Amino acid sequence: MVEKYASIPFMKILFCDNSLRELLNFRGDVISDYAEHGAEVVLLAPRNCDINDTSCAGVRTIPIDFNRSGMNPFKECRYFFRLWKIYRKERPDYIFHYTIKPNIYGSLAARLCRIPSTAVIAGLGYVFNKGGFGCRIARALYRFAMRYPEYVLVLNEHNKSVLLENRIVKSSQMILLKGGEGVNLDKFKA
C-alpha cells in the first residue's frame, strides 16, 4: 500500500477531510509521522479550529469551504472543481480522502489529475441507513467514485460487507483495518 512511499524523501502527501479539527485530532500522529520522515504534508479542509500552521515542520493547510450536509448540485460542482484546481496546482504524490464528500469528489478529482489516492471510510453514516432520494443519489455517486481510488480502507466488518454487497467497492481495493487507522490510543482512552 502506501508504505512503499513512506521512505521516499521529499514526497508530497495531501490529506483531504471535511473538518480540520477532526483531521488533526484523529490523524495528527500519522500526519506528523509523514512530516518527520521528510514528506511535505498538505491538509485540505474547512478551517474550523485555530491551528499554528508551522507547529510541525513540513505541514501546511489549505482552507476550503463547503457545506458538509448540503445537496445543492451547483455548490457540489463548485466544491469538486475547487478540489480539482487545488490538486492540479499542488501535484501531490498521494492523497488520502476522509468522509463522504472528499471521498466522492476528491477521488474523482484525483483520478482526473492522475494522482493516486486512498479513500478512508470510517463509517457509512446516514447515506446507507436512510432511503430517501438524496441518499440514493449519494450511494450512486459513491459507487461511481469508488472505482478510482487505489485502495478503500474500512474500519469494521459491517462496513466492508455493506460496501461489497452493494457493489460500491471492489474486493481487490478493499482493506479492512482491524486494528484501526492509527488513532493514538494513549490520547483517546476508553
Side-chain angles (χ1 to χ4, degrees), residues 16-18 79 83 87 96-109 117-123 141-142 144-149 151-153:
C16 182
D17 200 338
N18 71 2
Y79 175 63
L83 289 175
Y87 293 179
F96 290 96
H97 296 108
Y98 298 88
T99 65
I100 187 168
K101 288 187 180 185
N103 277 336
I104 292 171
Y105 303 122
S107 294
L108 293 172
S117 68
T118 290
V120 182
I121 301 176
L141 286 170
Y142 241 137
F144 178 70
M146 290 302 100
R147 299 183 328 198
Y148 301 115
Y151 303 102
V152 177
L153 309 181

Side-chain angles (χ1 to χ4, degrees), residues 29 183-190:
D29 289 339
V183 172
N184 184 340
L185 297 180
D186 292 330
K187 184 178 176 184
F188 298 97
K189 295 184 181 195

Side-chain angles (χ1 to χ4, degrees), residues 27 32 43 52 63 128 146 152 156-158 162 166 176-178 184:
R27 292 148 189 115
S32 294
L43 310 179
N52 178 356
F128 289 88
M146 290 302 100
V152 177
N156 62 58
E157 286 285 349
H158 173 70
V162 169
N166 289 288
L176 172 62
L177 298 176
K178 291 181 182 177
N184 184 340

Side-chain angles (χ1 to χ4, degrees), residues 8-28:
I8 300 172
F10 310 114
M11 180 175 193
K12 184 188 274 191
I13 309 278
L14 192 143
F15 290 82
C16 182
D17 200 338
N18 71 2
S19 167
L20 182 60
R21 179 186 309 114
E22 304 311 314
L23 184 59
L24 292 169
N25 194 29
F26 294 118
R27 292 148 189 115

Side-chain angles (χ1 to χ4, degrees), residues 6-76:
S7 63
I8 300 172
F10 310 114
M11 180 175 193
K12 184 188 274 191
I13 309 278
L14 192 143
F15 290 82
C16 182
D17 200 338
N18 71 2
S19 167
L20 182 60
R21 179 186 309 114
E22 304 311 314
L23 184 59
L24 292 169
N25 194 29
F26 294 118
R27 292 148 189 115
D29 289 339
V30 172
I31 290 165
S32 294
D33 191 59
Y34 271 115
E36 289 168 9
H37 284 88
E40 177 185 354
V41 179
V42 179
L43 310 179
L44 178 59
R47 184 179 291 269
N48 58 355
C49 66
D50 292 327
I51 174 179
N52 178 356
D53 290 343
T54 60
S55 62
C56 184
V59 177
R60 66 186 167 86
T61 61
I62 299 174
I64 185 168
D65 291 318
F66 70 98
N67 186 335
R68 291 169 34 168
S69 60
M71 299 172 95
N72 179 316
F74 298 108
K75 290 182 180 179
E76 299 300 294

